[in-house]
Amino acid sequence: MTDDSPPRPQITAGDAAELRRARDRMIARDKVIDEMVDNNERQITNEHARGGAEIELACAVRGACRSRARGACGVGAGDRTPGAAPGGGSAPGGRA
């Protein structure tokens, strides 16, 4: 197999050092970007966990409010007593 490409120009030691520094800067930037992506992933995971906990808390509060509104007898909100006619008042037909 022959190499038909033109010969590469020789680089100086200074050019080689500059290329190494440029490569090191590139690698350092890549590491910073990887760390930023990892950090964002952790934040998103924590936000999802926190959001789930907030939803559970809201559901628990809502459930507590509903059970308090139903009262101890489980009839529902308001001042009705078990067995009372809806709207409060006498039996149908005005008979007492």
Side-chain angles (χ1 to χ4, degrees), residues 19-77:
L19 288 173
R20 279 193 297 276
R21 286 192 297 272
R23 182 179 182 279
D24 292 342
R25 286 192 304 268
M26 178 193 67
I27 290 172
R29 280 193 306 269
D30 188 56
K31 286 181 182 179
V32 168
I33 291 169
D34 285 343
E35 290 172 6
M36 290 171 60
V37 168
D38 291 342
N39 185 44
N40 288 343
E41 185 177 324
R42 281 191 301 274
Q43 286 178 344
I44 289 170
T45 301
N46 289 336
E47 287 174 8
H48 285 301
R50 188 175 342 126
E54 289 172 357
I55 291 170
E56 287 182 26
L57 176 63
C59 289
V61 168
R62 184 182 65 188
C65 290
R66 285 182 176 176
S67 66
R68 184 174 294 168
R70 271 188 240 121
C73 61
V75 175

Side-chain angles (χ1 to χ4, degrees), residues 1-5:
M1 179 169 167
T2 60
D3 188 7
D4 294 334
S5 61

